[in-house]
Amino acid sequence: MLMIDRLNKITRIITRKLGVKRIKKIGEVIRKNEKKAIVVGLVYNKREKKSRLILELEDDTGKILCLVDKERDYLTYIYVSRIPLDSIIGLSIRRIGKSIYYIEEVIFPEERKRAPKRSEEEVYLVLTSDLHVGSKMFLKDAFLRFVKWLNGKYGNDAMLRIASRVKYIIIAGDTVDGIGVFPGQEKQLEEIDVRKQYKMAAEILEMIPEYIEVVILPGNHDATLTVHPQPPIWRDFAEPLYELPNVRMVGNPVNVSFHGVNVLSYHGESLEDILTHIPGLSKEKISDAMRILLNVMHLCPIYGGKTRILPLKTDELIISPHPDIFQTGHIHINDHRRVNNTLLINSGTWQSQTDYQRERGWIPTPGKVPVINLKTGEMRILSFI
């Protein structure tokens, strides 16, 4: 049911994008031995053979084999190589043999031509994540400088001018370090009681001016279910956060609108699956992986990977509406890029390098805070280290 719902919803997106062009069912293309067709389906399998990529596309009527040649059409080859399994895509195909077709064009559901939405007044949105309060590596002094800046008591004149116009903050998961997330975690904790970790976090976040709305979603270290989509952090564990008047506790992912600007915030666990399955990507340029999610308009396309997805009747992880700003966390490396008038941001962390990260050569970029002017769309990275 989940995959059927995903197929139906994204097919409708692609159909609207193509306008009058007719999408044909895969079963019909095979039965009529069509010479050319546009089909939409789920990427069931993908394999490389010599200089060719062979893709198996499936809809509710059948499967079809399609291929692209690297030497003949390098750009399309790259597009196909970066399509995650279980994504729903469109293909313009041409028959080249019995039951096999050549890929002439990849049709992603992403909206390519769109005007960005802007606020009528100059207000600022701050994006951050991965505080990991309770960890010995939580950079409390740096975070307190950040809070001091929000109160207009830290930074140069330009920074203070921005601080006076900050109206919104999103914390995209892992507010605390939690307990039992990985073996031996307790050795790296300043506080092993999760409720006390949330109390510590609330004591710091309480210093943020009340006129600033703070939106908090969960991550894999937080006290809630670790499946997608995630419900909000459980109130029983994080009551002090729920009591703060300017804090809004939400699920993961979440779509919010600030002054008409659409913001999609997602903690970002599925980025690890994308890094594992798609060649040529790196944590240092994690916005490339975010770009792939936006291409296929889905936050967790790969079913059965590291990211656990609830087998619901409806797919709640499709990217809709199209965001003006797409934020993730989890990777602990600040990175950003702008694609088709959408600003992609991985917001970094407030935790210094852990033993786990050191063993894997993973170098975080803590204390760097993306700040976006919702009137102009311009972004600045402020450092508090």
Side-chain angles (χ1 to χ4, degrees), residues 81-131:
S81 72
R82 295 199 166 191
I83 299 171
L85 292 178
D86 304 323
S87 300
I88 309 297
I89 60 163
L91 295 177
S92 176
I93 55 176
R94 172 174 51 83
R95 180 163 53 84
I96 57 173
K98 186 177 180 181
S99 301
I100 190 161
Y101 286 76
Y102 193 84
I103 301 170
E104 296 192 321
E105 183 185 1
V106 179
I107 305 163
F108 291 110
E110 178 192 3
E111 203 177 328
R112 294 298 175 94
K113 295 180 180 179
R114 51 183 301 277
K117 297 182 177 66
R118 297 284 185 257
S119 168
E120 291 184 359
E121 59 180 298
E122 185 183 355
V123 293
Y124 286 81
L125 165 66
V126 172
L127 299 179
T128 190
S129 63
D130 298 274
L131 279 62

Side-chain angles (χ1 to χ4, degrees), residues 46-268:
K46 190 172 64 172
R47 65 184 186 273
E48 190 166 7
K49 188 175 181 180
K50 295 183 179 178
S51 65
R52 292 179 168 185
L53 265 177
I54 302 171
L55 184 150
E56 193 170 3
L57 200 70
E58 177 184 31
D59 68 8
D60 53 347
T61 65
K63 295 178 184 176
I64 194 167
L65 283 177
C66 308
L67 65 85
V68 62
D69 189 280
K70 183 177 183 179
E71 295 177 1
R72 181 175 175 178
D73 192 347
Y74 181 75
L75 187 58
T76 303
Y77 178 92
I78 293 299
Y79 284 154
V80 174
S81 72
R82 295 199 166 191
I83 299 171
L85 292 178
D86 304 323
S87 300
I88 309 297
I89 60 163
L91 295 177
S92 176
I93 55 176
R94 172 174 51 83
R95 180 163 53 84
I96 57 173
K98 186 177 180 181
S99 301
I100 190 161
Y101 286 76
Y102 193 84
I103 301 170
E104 296 192 321
E105 183 185 1
V106 179
I107 305 163
F108 291 110
E110 178 192 3
E111 203 177 328
R112 294 298 175 94
K113 295 180 180 179
R114 51 183 301 277
K117 297 182 177 66
R118 297 284 185 257
S119 168
E120 291 184 359
E121 59 180 298
E122 185 183 355
V123 293
Y124 286 81
L125 165 66
V126 172
L127 299 179
T128 190
S129 63
D130 298 274
L131 279 62
H132 291 273
V133 175
S135 165
K136 291 178 181 178
M137 280 72 75
F138 169 53
L139 298 170
K140 184 176 181 179
D141 289 345
F143 195 80
L144 287 175
R145 282 193 289 273
F146 165 64
V147 173
K148 193 175 179 181
W149 167 70
L150 290 170
N151 282 277
K153 297 178 180 178
Y154 178 86
N156 57 32
D157 288 346
M159 289 176 66
L160 293 174
R161 182 184 179 281
I162 293 171
S164 69
R165 289 167 170 78
V166 171
K167 300 298 181 187
Y168 309 101
I169 298 173
I170 299 180
I171 301 175
D174 287 357
T175 299
V176 302
D177 206 49
I179 184 69
V181 180
F182 56 87
Q185 183 187 10
E186 63 278 2
K187 298 175 184 176
Q188 300 183 29
L189 292 177
E190 177 187 354
E191 174 55 66
I192 62 170
D193 187 314
V194 177
R195 287 182 174 85
K196 289 182 180 178
Q197 290 181 11
Y198 281 112
K199 186 175 185 295
M200 292 163 60
E203 287 170 353
I204 298 172
L205 296 178
E206 187 178 22
M207 301 178 194
I208 294 173
E210 282 193 17
Y211 65 81
I212 298 177
E213 180 181 351
V214 182
V215 178
I216 299 178
L217 51 148
N220 57 303
H221 281 252
D222 283 302
T224 187
L225 298 176
T226 56
V227 294
H228 286 52
Q230 274 185 292
I233 298 168
W234 288 321
R235 185 165 191 149
D236 180 55
F237 287 86
E239 182 66 33
L241 289 179
Y242 279 88
E243 291 177 348
L244 295 179
N246 57 331
V247 167
R248 177 156 51 121
M249 306 293 281
V250 298
N252 174 43
V254 65
N255 280 293
V256 287
S257 178
F258 299 124
H259 294 256
V261 179
N262 294 325
V263 183
L264 171 60
S265 183
Y266 167 52
H267 180 61

